[in-house]
């Protein structure tokens, strides 16, 4: 478990969130492709707006392929997954994703629906749902799961995702109870956990001034008020 997830002070979380893009940019410099920053901007900012602007939320085949490119660039690279995702038909991707969004908040059913697509497992399915419904879902990144207690060893299963999401949802609710801005979402927490994990792994000094020794949200409420050929395994 990371020190961040053990901390329930919204000011500390916000301090990490405000440095998110600095961490992404720093990591992008070490990527051979150099496309992490633009892909992450697209996923975190552009794609949610595009999905939400549609009468019925869904993603297109090209968006699914680009989302997979983002996922593999941001995390572990598994080249065959991109080929598998691209082999889905446009119609199948749109129908499947439309149905998945329509059955929310039944997260288990939504994950199962998206997982019927070729090359899509619970982790990729969670990325689709987090983009279109960040208030209900969080991307199942290795870094975030590694930061949450009780999830090791990491398993890329729907059951494991449910445990992960339930813990993230609980923390989201706790932060919103004491933070006047009340703008925390499960996906925003994933971004914070990812940033903290990457900064720690790469020994970046970017987050050293973030105080993670805060008391519980119940104890610090008043303080925070004052602070503005094997079968390919799909994930």
């Amino acid at each position: 478990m990371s020190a961040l997830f053990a901390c329930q002070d919204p000011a500390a979380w916000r301090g990490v969130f405000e440095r998110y893009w600095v961490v992404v940019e720093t990591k992008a410099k070490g990527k051979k492709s150099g496309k992490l920053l633009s892909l992450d901007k697209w996923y975190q900012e552009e794609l949610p707006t595009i999905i939400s602007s549609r009468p019925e939320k869904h993603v297109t085949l090209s968006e699914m392929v680009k989302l997979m490119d983002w996922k593999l660039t941001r995390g572990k690279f598994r080249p065959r997954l991109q080929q598998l995702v691209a082999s889905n038909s446009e119609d199948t991707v749109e129908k499947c994703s439309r149905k998945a969004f329509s059955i929310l908040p039944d997260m288990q059913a939504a994950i199962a629906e998206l997982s019927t697509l070729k090359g899509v497992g619970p982790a990729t399915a969670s990325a689709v749902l987090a983009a279109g419904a960040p208030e209900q879902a969080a991307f199942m990144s290795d870094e975030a799961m590694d930061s949450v207690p009780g999830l090791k060893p990491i398993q890329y299963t729907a059951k494991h995702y449910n445990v992960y999401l339930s813990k993230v949802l609980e923390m989201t609710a706790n932060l919103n109870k004491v933070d006047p801005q009340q703008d925390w979402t499960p996906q925003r927490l994933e971004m914070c956990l990812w940033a903290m994990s990457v900064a720690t792994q790469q020994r970046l000094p970017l987050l050293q001034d973030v105080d993670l020794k805060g008391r519980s949200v119940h104890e610090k409420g008043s303080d925070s008020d004052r602070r503005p050929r094997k079968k390919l395994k799909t994930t």
Side-chain angles (χ1 to χ4, degrees):
M1 179 177 71
S2 76
L4 180 58
F5 202 82
C7 175
Q8 298 191 62
D9 179 5
W13 283 84
R14 196 167 298 280
V16 176
F17 182 70
E18 289 172 350
R19 293 164 176 79
Y20 176 80
W21 291 112
V22 179
V23 176
V24 174
E25 189 171 1
T26 303
K27 182 174 182 178
K29 292 177 181 177
K31 287 281 185 178
K32 292 182 179 180
S33 63
K35 60 185 179 182
L36 175 60
L37 182 58
S38 62
L39 281 173
D40 209 51
K41 284 280 186 181
W42 172 80
Y43 175 78
Q44 306 289 1
E45 298 178 353
E46 296 177 35
L47 185 58
T49 301
I50 293 171
I51 295 174
S52 297
S53 69
R54 293 170 176 152
E56 292 182 302
K57 289 184 178 181
H58 66 275
V59 293
T60 64
L61 175 59
S62 62
E63 289 165 352
M64 181 67 85
V65 171
K66 190 170 182 178
L67 181 148
M68 180 61 79
D69 191 14
W70 164 79
K71 175 176 175 286
L72 298 180
T73 302
R74 192 176 188 250
K76 294 180 181 178
F77 187 64
R78 300 179 178 93
R80 272 278 290 155
L81 288 183
Q82 204 150 17
Q83 297 174 23
L84 283 173
V85 166
S87 69
N88 289 290
S89 71
E90 181 76 56
D91 185 60
T92 301
V93 171
E94 291 192 16
K95 284 183 177 179
C96 186
S97 59
R98 186 179 289 111
K99 183 177 180 181
F101 280 115
S102 71
I103 55 184
L104 289 176
D106 189 340
M107 190 61 63
Q108 190 169 5
I111 291 288
E113 179 63 29
L114 286 167
S115 295
T116 62
L117 293 170
K118 287 179 285 187
V120 176
T124 303
S126 74
V128 174
L129 297 172
E135 72 286 350
Q136 298 183 61
F139 174 46
M140 189 184 190
S141 65
D142 290 341
E143 292 82 3
M145 287 196 296
D146 222 21
S147 304
V148 177
L151 293 180
K152 292 184 179 180
I154 294 176
Q155 301 173 46
Y156 301 104
T157 63
K159 183 179 180 180
H160 211 67
Y161 179 68
N162 284 339
V163 176
Y164 160 71
L165 183 60
S166 66
K167 291 176 181 287
V168 173
L169 284 169
E170 182 180 6
M171 179 62 77
T172 302
N174 286 341
L175 292 175
N176 280 327
K177 284 180 183 176
V178 297
D179 192 332
Q181 296 188 50
Q182 297 185 329
D183 56 356
W184 294 103
T185 66
Q187 180 55 18
R188 181 169 288 195
L189 262 66
E190 187 279 336
M191 294 169 71
C192 292
L193 294 172
W194 182 89
M196 178 59 74
S197 176
V198 171
T200 301
Q201 290 170 10
Q202 299 193 2
R203 298 182 180 179
L204 304 179
L206 307 170
L207 304 177
Q208 289 181 350
D209 59 337
V210 176
D211 180 15
L212 298 179
K213 299 179 181 179
R215 291 162 285 165
S216 71
V217 290
H218 305 294
E219 294 171 0
K220 290 205 76 169
S222 58
D223 292 340
S224 63
D225 286 348
R226 291 192 293 269
R227 293 191 183 108
R229 297 305 170 196
K230 293 178 180 179
K231 183 178 179 181
L232 184 70
K233 185 176 181 181
T234 57
T235 62

